[in-house]
């Protein structure tokens, strides 16, 4: 696997602050509904890709992001539609529900390693997708999914005022807040003692056991954390699109997130962020040329990056800097 390093204090901060500043002023620069929709997809991709990297730091390749996003989406939508809970309570409950499922399923799954763990998590995706399509159809809507998912309740924000989610701009600001909080939390986790232990486990599980680290507990905690972030993203998308469909949370969903992270560069914390931004834009541009061009384009870019830029997009500044000093 690609060499990893713990994010240092301030690492990538200037670039991330520039991206945040651009994100804050975008709604003032455009009111185009399509552009805002693409930006919303991009922001959710950032959370999914950065949370995927957290699990990857353990040395395990998880394909279960689609399952956890689906659990969060269905749980939040059903709690609002059937239990009359507010979105602001239903969304975190959906995240916690996915984390609990991750702990239950992760206990046996994490006993496997390498490609076997990846296959097990692929099985989790297929099982949950089948359950949502064919079981408890009266509750989940079956293959049709849940239609007419309510919008979030109105919210008041400092400097912004009241937002009632009647436009994409309102959803955009909520998504931006979610990204800032999620990315800050994930960065803190990697820089904390927790992150140090996770990397130690990746380096050598036997040695970690020998020095008294409870390896299964840390692996389960990491799996649950990635599930939580994937689930709140799924919950947001369900209430934004106002539909939750099992077809949106298939194996292809997980592979797209892995592609974001891989092309951006898994060796740096900012890599998945760059990957999600670049590829979301690329996919939308390629769709203008016709069906399947987006999939072909992603595949070609992935191959080129793996062959000629193994460190991903995040390694480009260092490569250009080294060439300029020759």
């Amino acid at each position: 696997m690609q060499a990893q390093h713990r994010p240092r204090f301030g690492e990538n901060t200037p670039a991330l602050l520039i991206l945040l500043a651009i994100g804050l002023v975008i709604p003032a620069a455009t009111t185009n509904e399509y552009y805002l929709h693409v930006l919303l997809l991009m922001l959710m991709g950032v959370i999914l890709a950065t949370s995927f990297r957290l699990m990857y730091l353990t040395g395990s390749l998880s394909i279960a992001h689609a399952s956890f996003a689906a659990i969060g989406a269905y749980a939040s939508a059903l709690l609002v539609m059937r239990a009359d809970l507010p979105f602001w309570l239903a969304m975190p409950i959906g995240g916690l529900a996915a984390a609990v499922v991750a702990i239950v399923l992760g206990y046996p799954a994490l006993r496997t390693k390498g490609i076997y763990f990846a296959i097990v998590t692929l099985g989790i995706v297929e099982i949950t997708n089948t359950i949502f399509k064919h079981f408890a159809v009266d509750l989940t809507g079956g293959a049709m999914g849940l239609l007419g998912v309510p919008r979030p309740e109105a919210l008041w924000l400092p400097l912004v005022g009241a937002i009632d989610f009647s436009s994409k701009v309102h959803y955009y600001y909520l998504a931006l807040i979610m990204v800032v909080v999620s990315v800050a939390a994930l960065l803190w986790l990697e820089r904390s003692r927790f992150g140090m232990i996770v990397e130690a486990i990746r380096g050598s599980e036997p040695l970690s056991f020998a020095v008294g680290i409870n390896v299964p507990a840390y692996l389960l905690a990491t799996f649950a954390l990635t599930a939580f972030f994937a689930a709140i993203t799924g919950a947001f998308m369900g209430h934004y699109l106002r539909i939750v469909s099992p077809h949106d949370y298939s194996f292809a969903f997980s592979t797209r997130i892995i592609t974001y992270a891989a092309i951006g560069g898994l060796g740096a914390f900012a890599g998945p962020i760059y990957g999600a931004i670049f590829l979301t834009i690329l996919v939308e541009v390629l769709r203008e040329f016709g069906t399947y061009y987006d999939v072909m384009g992603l595949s070609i870019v992935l191959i080129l990056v793996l062959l000629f830029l193994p460190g991903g997009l995040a390694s480009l500044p260092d490569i250009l800097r080294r060439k300029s000093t020759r």
Side-chain angles (χ1 to χ4, degrees):
M1 286 186 179
Q2 187 181 351
Q4 306 291 330
H5 67 275
R6 293 178 64 240
R8 298 183 302 273
F9 182 78
E11 182 182 36
N12 298 305
T13 298
L16 295 178
L17 287 176
I18 291 171
L19 290 175
L20 176 59
I22 293 172
L24 287 170
V25 301
I26 279 176
T30 180
T31 56
N32 186 291
E33 294 276 301
Y34 171 70
Y35 292 156
L36 289 172
H37 174 72
V38 173
L39 288 167
L40 282 163
L41 297 179
M42 181 192 302
L43 291 173
M44 292 301 100
V46 166
I47 299 177
L48 290 164
T50 50
S51 61
F52 167 80
R53 182 177 185 268
L54 180 63
M55 190 64 200
Y56 180 82
L57 288 179
T58 67
S60 299
L61 177 64
S62 172
I63 308 178
H65 254 49
S67 290
F68 300 135
I71 291 170
Y74 274 98
S76 181
L78 288 171
L79 286 171
V80 172
M81 297 172 73
R82 305 294 173 88
D84 292 325
L85 287 183
F87 164 80
W88 308 106
L89 184 58
M91 181 175 68
I93 290 176
L96 292 174
V100 171
V101 172
I103 292 172
V104 172
L105 298 179
Y107 184 76
L110 287 164
R111 294 174 182 270
T112 60
K113 304 298 176 187
I115 188 64
Y116 300 105
F117 176 75
I119 293 172
V120 169
T121 56
L122 172 59
I124 292 173
V125 172
E126 295 303 322
I127 290 170
T128 54
N129 196 265
T130 301
I131 289 173
F132 287 130
K133 280 183 182 178
H134 303 293
F135 292 85
V137 174
D138 290 341
L139 185 67
T140 66
M144 291 291 294
L146 298 172
L147 306 176
V149 178
R151 296 187 180 96
E153 294 79 14
L155 178 68
W156 187 89
L157 293 176
L159 305 178
V160 177
I163 56 176
D164 58 5
F165 300 98
S166 58
S167 74
K168 284 184 170 59
V169 174
H170 297 169
Y171 283 100
Y172 173 82
Y173 278 119
L174 174 59
L176 190 63
I177 292 170
M178 288 177 62
V179 167
V180 171
V181 173
S182 299
V183 168
L186 288 163
L187 180 58
W188 176 81
L189 280 169
E190 286 196 28
R191 291 180 55 244
S192 69
R193 183 173 180 271
F194 181 90
M196 294 177 63
I197 292 174
V198 166
E199 288 205 38
I201 292 171
R202 180 182 181 275
S204 174
E205 282 196 24
L207 184 58
S208 299
F209 270 116
V211 297
I213 294 174
N214 189 339
V215 173
Y218 275 93
L219 291 177
L220 274 177
T222 307
F223 199 42
L225 284 166
T226 60
F228 176 85
F229 286 105
I232 61 171
T233 305
F236 173 89
M237 291 305 297
H239 289 272
Y240 162 61
L241 297 173
R242 305 199 66 191
I243 179 174
V244 178
S245 169
H247 302 287
D248 293 332
Y249 301 102
S250 62
F251 172 64
F253 180 97
S254 289
T255 55
R256 186 170 70 252
I257 303 310
I258 296 171
T259 304
Y260 287 172
I263 290 179
L266 284 160
F269 180 83
I273 298 175
Y274 300 148
I277 293 172
F278 171 71
L279 291 178
T280 302
I281 295 173
L282 177 64
V283 166
E284 293 302 320
V285 170
L286 291 174
R287 278 180 182 162
E288 296 296 321
F289 294 94
T291 309
Y292 304 122
Y293 278 89
D294 55 338
V295 177
M296 290 173 59
L298 277 179
S299 302
I300 292 171
V301 170
L302 179 60
I303 292 170
L304 291 175
V305 167
L306 293 178
L307 287 175
F308 302 107
L309 198 65
L313 298 177
S315 66
L316 266 177
D318 288 336
I319 293 174
L320 296 174
R321 195 178 302 115
R322 285 197 299 268
K323 288 186 176 181
S324 65
T325 56
R326 287 179 182 175

